[in-house]
Amino acid sequence: MSGGLAVAVRELRHLPSVWRAPRRDPATTRRLALAGVNEMLAYCRERVPHFAGDAYAGGPLRSLDELATLPTLTKREVLDAGVEAFHAPDLPESRFRTDVTSGTTGTRLTIRHDVDAYGYHGATVLRRFLLSGYRPWWRIAHIKPFPRPTRWFQRLGLFPRVVVNAGQSEAAIARDVLAVRPQLIMGYPVVLRGMLRSMDDGDLTALRRGLRLVMTDSELLTDEVAALLGDRFGVPVYDEYSAYEVLTVSSGCRAGSMHVDEDRVWLEIVDDDGVAVPDGTAGAVVVTHFRERAMPLPRYRLGDRAMIVPGGCPCGSGLRRMKLVDGRTNDFIELPGGRRVYSGVFLSLAMYTPGVAECMIRQDASGEITVHLVPDAPGPAAFAAASQAFTTAFAALVDEPVPLRFVEAERIELTPGGKGRFVESAYRDGGRPVSGTAG
């Protein structure tokens, strides 16, 4: 069987189960997830070297709440232990595929995903598209900093996609997107905002003639930015939250909620000690991809902050809802009194401060804060006015005046993965930079 056909078979055979998952009642979803977690933990204890110690020696969990008795894992801990300790040693190369994390935290990690788990994930991606209202023949303009592989279904003429280079100028991105005449645009929020700034009313009118959807991913999408994109593009905006280590965690629905892929991952929101916080309370994201066998990472900290949204969703899905908040757990500056200000604050400032298009914040080891500011209009006077407005708005948000240094920028610096880099700080970490993206 060819590689493309094998992938197609793995994805298609999971579709019936994947399609049923949002329609299950929450109790059934939890029961199936608990069974999946216990199967993965038994596999880890038996076959994966890292999990042979006392910390994982217990029997099956009686409830998902008992996950909290196990340690959490971070990228740094995996690297320090050696990634080989997390590999199933007898798994042939034909049974897994390799990904490398984007490096936005300053460190790359090589990940293995077994082909069966990857096939199930592929089926959930199809679910995401179809539930959004996307039709498989619609043209896609996918704004990315690197080429994307051609999938088996694209060879059949389905999900036709043109990759637009995110590294070029915003005007060039807009030109290339218009040339695609897309029904769907996919891209990072910071790139989409930049593209919109470069388009005039005629460009937007031409784009809207065929456009039906916008999909975002990889950055914190605040309510304000989602509303801006929806208003300017004139179509619904669907977000997605994923990481190379665990693949998709959640995706947007027609009611505007983000539903967790609970048929393949279990999400916990925890405090600094790894203890679960109540629904509706912000904390650190911990994910267990319980279908994974090639490189299982139970209770893996993704470095983001989120909350579980209590209650059901008008869309009818029985999967829990989550909401990203603030930005990454290390994506903040620290004021002299110890107060943390996360990237979400600066995204809001860029949205609502007169004269400000975008901003990126750097804090050095001495605590000095530099704002790399993209003004809405050219010229020294516009930059000076935007800087003053930003200073005033920031002081009002944090309830104290804060000295800021400003540097004019043409656009926000992008990470190697093409995401917007919004906060970088060395102030709290002994002089070693700690950087992150918004989301």
Side-chain angles (χ1 to χ4, degrees), residues 137-387:
W137 53 88
W138 285 359
R139 290 183 302 276
I140 304 170
H142 197 174
I143 307 171
K144 278 283 188 181
F146 42 79
R148 302 293 296 163
T150 300
R151 298 295 313 281
W152 63 268
F153 43 77
Q154 289 167 332
R155 296 190 184 99
L156 301 176
L158 302 176
F159 295 79
R161 173 175 61 185
V162 175
V163 177
V164 175
N165 180 10
Q168 59 187 330
S169 70
E170 291 159 347
I173 292 172
R175 178 200 63 214
D176 289 353
V177 168
L178 284 166
V180 176
R181 294 181 295 112
Q183 280 89 27
L184 166 63
I185 297 175
M186 301 178 67
Y188 301 147
V190 66
V191 175
L192 295 176
R193 293 197 304 271
M195 184 183 79
L196 282 171
R197 288 196 298 274
S198 72
M199 301 178 80
D200 59 28
D201 290 342
D203 292 333
L204 281 173
T205 298
L207 182 64
R208 288 171 175 171
R209 288 194 187 106
L211 190 64
R212 297 293 179 266
L213 296 169
V214 168
M215 290 185 175
T216 61
D217 59 75
S218 299
E219 292 175 6
L220 174 64
L221 181 70
T222 65
D223 293 341
E224 297 90 346
V225 172
L228 169 73
L229 296 179
D231 179 65
R232 295 295 306 281
F233 284 117
V235 298
V237 177
Y238 290 82
D239 196 21
E240 181 252 17
Y241 173 47
S242 60
Y244 283 101
E245 296 95 325
V246 297
L247 305 174
T248 303
V249 177
S250 64
S251 54
C253 72
R254 295 190 183 194
S257 297
M258 294 284 287
H259 290 278
V260 182
D261 275 9
E262 292 182 307
D263 48 339
R264 43 173 300 279
V265 300
W266 190 254
L267 170 69
E268 301 171 80
I269 305 298
V270 304
D271 61 19
D272 292 342
D273 297 320
V275 177
V277 300
D279 290 356
T281 302
V285 172
V286 172
V287 175
T288 299
H289 180 189
F290 54 79
R291 293 183 180 271
E292 184 61 74
R293 296 296 181 268
M295 188 174 170
L297 299 170
R299 301 204 79 211
Y300 188 78
R301 288 182 178 264
L302 290 182
D304 296 308
R305 287 174 54 79
M307 67 172 66
I308 297 294
V309 179
C313 182
C315 79
S317 173
L319 302 175
R320 286 184 302 165
R321 299 182 294 165
M322 66 163 291
K323 182 178 179 64
L324 289 167
V325 297
D326 298 333
R328 295 187 62 82
T329 54
N330 65 348
D331 195 6
F332 61 86
I333 64 167
E334 190 171 315
L335 301 183
R339 177 179 175 183
R340 296 178 177 182
V341 183
Y342 286 89
S343 58
V345 169
F346 301 111
L347 288 169
S348 293
L349 283 168
M351 282 287 299
Y352 293 117
T353 305
V356 177
E358 303 282 357
C359 63
M360 183 271 181
I361 315 299
R362 281 193 170 98
Q363 185 174 34
D364 66 20
S366 71
E368 183 181 53
I369 301 168
T370 299
V371 180
H372 298 259
L373 188 144
V374 181
D376 262 338
F383 174 65
S387 301

Side-chain angles (χ1 to χ4, degrees), residues 115-139:
V115 293
D116 289 330
Y118 210 88
Y120 194 97
H121 168 258
T124 65
V125 173
L126 179 59
R127 177 178 69 195
R128 171 199 174 200
F129 273 74
L130 296 180
L131 289 178
S132 74
Y134 175 83
R135 299 294 179 261
W137 53 88
W138 285 359
R139 290 183 302 276

Side-chain angles (χ1 to χ4, degrees), residues 9 51 65 136 216 274 366 390 423:
V9 169
F51 303 103
D65 294 338
T216 61
S366 71
F390 188 99
V423 173

